[in-house]
């Protein structure tokens, strides 16, 4: 794979462990392979997303890696995330009524595939470039959960964004309903 066609000219965003670069109409997510001499689960998002084929869930177009980093190449959604669109009053009251259905549908799809997103928040829904649908993104914390909806499964770390973390995660457990708690927040 010719990774050099993506010349990282514009750092778009940075999280605790990843960097997002914008290149033309693509977003390149750079993930470290090691953090503090411990292997980081850098392929988790890729492995989760290759199981999903839904127009309302982000797709990875290509991947590549070098000695230190793994890169996911995805489409860039220039219309912004749900948080941005609400704060800038780009959605009307009429839109809010349709919005709830649009943000719940992708969650049901991933749950049917036994996946828990683990980081649902307004910033992880982006407005599609060609429609008024929201695309669910950022699956790097996602976990598989092949059990019933409420069966708690142990988790080794507290993950997610603090205001949206379900209470059971603080106790070291998660389940599919943990996503619904986050969505409610």
């Amino acid at each position: 794979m010719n990774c050099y066609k993506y010349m990282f000219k514009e750092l778009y965003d940075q999280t605790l462990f990843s960097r997002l670069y914008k290149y033309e109409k693509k977003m390149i997510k750079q993930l470290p392979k090691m953090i503090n001499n411990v292997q980081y689960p850098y392929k988790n998002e890729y492995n989760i997303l290759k199981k999903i084929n839904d127009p309302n869930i982000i797709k990875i177009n290509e991947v590549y890696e070098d000695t230190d980093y793994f890169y996911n190449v995805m489409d860039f959604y220039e219309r912004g995330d749900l948080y941005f669109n609400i704060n800038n009053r780009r959605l009307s009251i009429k839109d809010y009524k349709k919005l709830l259905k649009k943000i719940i549908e992708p969650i049901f799809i991933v749950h049917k595939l036994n996946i828990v997103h683990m980081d649902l928040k307004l910033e992880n829904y982006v407005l599609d470039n060609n429609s008024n649908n929201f695309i669910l993104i950022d699956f790097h914390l996602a976990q598989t959960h092949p059990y019933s909806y409420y069966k708690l499964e142990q988790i080794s770390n507290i993950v997610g964004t603090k205001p949206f973390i379900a209470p059971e995660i603080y106790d070291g457990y998660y389940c599919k309903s943990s996503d619904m708690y986050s969505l409610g927040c």
Side-chain angles (χ1 to χ4, degrees), residues 14-26:
Q14 189 166 346
T15 66
L16 189 59
F17 297 119
S18 66
R19 289 184 181 152
L20 298 173
Y21 293 93
K22 183 181 175 212
Y23 175 76
E24 295 179 352
K25 296 199 178 261
K26 299 292 180 194

Side-chain angles (χ1 to χ4, degrees), residues 159-176:
V159 296
T161 304
K162 278 194 177 187
F164 305 97
I165 296 174
E168 62 271 13
I169 293 174
Y170 286 108
D171 293 333
Y173 297 93
Y174 75 101
C175 60
K176 293 173 185 155

Side-chain angles (χ1 to χ4, degrees), residues 41-112:
Y42 60 91
K43 286 188 178 180
N44 187 57
E45 183 169 35
Y46 169 72
N47 289 331
I48 293 285
L49 288 175
K50 72 181 182 182
K51 299 174 188 175
I52 304 170
N53 183 20
D54 186 83
N56 297 321
I57 297 172
I58 190 80
K59 290 172 185 44
I60 295 179
N61 299 327
E62 35 183 318
V63 296
Y64 60 93
E65 59 188 301
D66 57 28
T67 54
D68 298 319
Y69 296 98
F70 187 79
Y71 302 90
N72 292 326
V73 180
M74 301 165 273
D75 290 336
F76 177 71
Y77 293 94
E78 56 198 38
R79 295 173 69 193
D81 62 34
L82 185 53
Y83 182 81
F84 173 82
N85 280 276
I86 289 172
N87 271 354
N88 290 292
R89 302 184 191 279
R90 293 184 172 190
L91 299 172
S92 69
I93 296 296
K94 188 175 157 183
D95 293 326
Y96 287 123
K97 293 176 183 177
K98 296 176 186 174
L99 175 67
L100 192 55
K101 182 179 181 203
K102 289 180 181 182
I103 65 175
I104 290 175
E105 283 178 351
I107 298 165
F108 285 137
I109 289 163
V110 298
H111 287 178
K112 283 181 187 176

Side-chain angles (χ1 to χ4, degrees), residues 5-43:
K5 68 181 176 180
Y6 300 111
M7 299 179 68
F8 301 147
K9 292 184 179 177
E10 181 181 348
L11 180 63
Y12 183 77
D13 196 7
Q14 189 166 346
T15 66
L16 189 59
F17 297 119
S18 66
R19 289 184 181 152
L20 298 173
Y21 293 93
K22 183 181 175 212
Y23 175 76
E24 295 179 352
K25 296 199 178 261
K26 299 292 180 194
M27 180 68 61
I28 299 96
K29 186 179 218 178
Q30 179 189 48
L31 299 157
K33 291 183 175 181
M34 302 285 283
I35 296 175
N36 298 327
N37 293 324
V38 176
Q39 185 166 351
Y40 181 71
Y42 60 91
K43 286 188 178 180

Side-chain angles (χ1 to χ4, degrees), residues 48-49 52-58 82 99-126 134-139 142-145 147 149-150 164 174-185:
I48 293 285
L49 288 175
I52 304 170
N53 183 20
D54 186 83
N56 297 321
I57 297 172
I58 190 80
L82 185 53
L99 175 67
L100 192 55
K101 182 179 181 203
K102 289 180 181 182
I103 65 175
I104 290 175
E105 283 178 351
I107 298 165
F108 285 137
I109 289 163
V110 298
H111 287 178
K112 283 181 187 176
L113 295 170
N114 295 321
I115 298 166
V116 182
H117 187 278
M118 303 294 288
D119 196 22
L120 290 176
K121 58 185 176 182
L122 297 175
E123 293 89 339
N124 283 339
Y125 285 93
V126 291
F134 280 92
I135 309 295
L136 181 58
I137 64 168
D138 203 4
F139 282 77
Q143 300 286 323
T144 56
H145 187 275
Y147 308 105
Y149 208 78
Y150 299 102
F164 305 97
Y174 75 101
C175 60
K176 293 173 185 155
S177 66
S178 302
D179 278 348
M180 299 315 284
Y181 179 92
S182 299
L183 183 63
C185 292

